[in-house]
């Protein structure tokens, strides 16, 4: 069992949907793009990127949880879907800290109370990733 003080929005078992813009905003990236951004976040934060939820089936989405209200401070590019206070009725699945949470899991371990992904750092990485992809295509 973990010794962390978990946020109230992390369920005890399984997974649970939470409305964005209340406890957190979320930035969603698909598949390999999300994994690439997580990899860079991990290397830039000494392995502590903040709460990142991944879907391990289907579209393999990655959700980066940032402080509530902070998503509106940035003009997120196409390919990065913003779930925040300006978005209506967007829900994100949150897995428990441990146990069977399929198809969701914490990419780098469950968060501690008050812990979030740094939105400014995330924004820079997302922009760089999408710019790199555009350069690779052309």
């Amino acid at each position: 069992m973990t010794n962390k003080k978990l946020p109230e929005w992390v369920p005890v078992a399984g997974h649970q949907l939470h409305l964005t813009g209340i406890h957190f905003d979320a930035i969603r990236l698909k598949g390999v793009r999300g994994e690439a951004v997580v990899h860079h976040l991990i290397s830039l934060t000494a392995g502590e990127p903040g709460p990142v939820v991944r879907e391990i089936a289907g579209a393999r989405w990655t959700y980066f949880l940032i402080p509530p209200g902070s998503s509106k401070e940035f003009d997120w590019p196409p390919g990065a879907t913003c779930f925040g206070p300006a978005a209506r009725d967007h829900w994100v699945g949150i897995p428990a800290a441990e146990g069977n949470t399929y198809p969701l899991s914490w990419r780098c371990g469950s968060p501690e109370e008050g812990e979030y992904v740094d939105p400014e750092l995330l924004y820079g990485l997302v922009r760089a990733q999408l710019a790199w992809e555009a350069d690779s295509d052309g």
Side-chain angles (χ1 to χ4, degrees), residues 49-121:
V52 178
V53 175
R54 68 176 168 180
E55 181 182 82
I56 52 179
R60 304 180 74 85
W61 296 109
T62 303
Y63 296 85
F64 300 86
L65 306 185
I66 60 178
S70 63
S71 62
K72 64 185 176 188
E73 297 174 22
F74 302 94
D75 184 21
W76 297 95
T81 305
C82 176
F83 297 101
R88 286 185 36 91
D89 301 331
H90 282 131
W91 298 79
V92 172
I94 300 297
E98 304 179 325
N100 183 5
T101 61
Y102 182 84
L104 303 174
S105 68
W106 291 107
R107 178 61 173 78
C108 300
S110 58
E112 289 194 48
E113 183 69 42
E115 181 181 24
Y116 297 99
V117 172
D118 179 321
E120 188 172 356
L121 179 58

Side-chain angles (χ1 to χ4, degrees), residues 16-87:
Q16 189 176 66
L17 291 175
H18 283 277
L19 185 63
T20 59
I22 297 172
H23 300 292
F24 54 81
D25 290 358
I27 304 303
R28 182 180 78 177
L29 297 173
K30 188 173 184 179
V32 174
R33 178 181 291 158
E35 278 300 313
V37 171
V38 169
H39 175 75
H40 291 296
L41 260 179
I42 290 169
S43 66
L44 293 172
T45 60
E48 300 289 333
V52 178
V53 175
R54 68 176 168 180
E55 181 182 82
I56 52 179
R60 304 180 74 85
W61 296 109
T62 303
Y63 296 85
F64 300 86
L65 306 185
I66 60 178
S70 63
S71 62
K72 64 185 176 188
E73 297 174 22
F74 302 94
D75 184 21
W76 297 95
T81 305
C82 176
F83 297 101

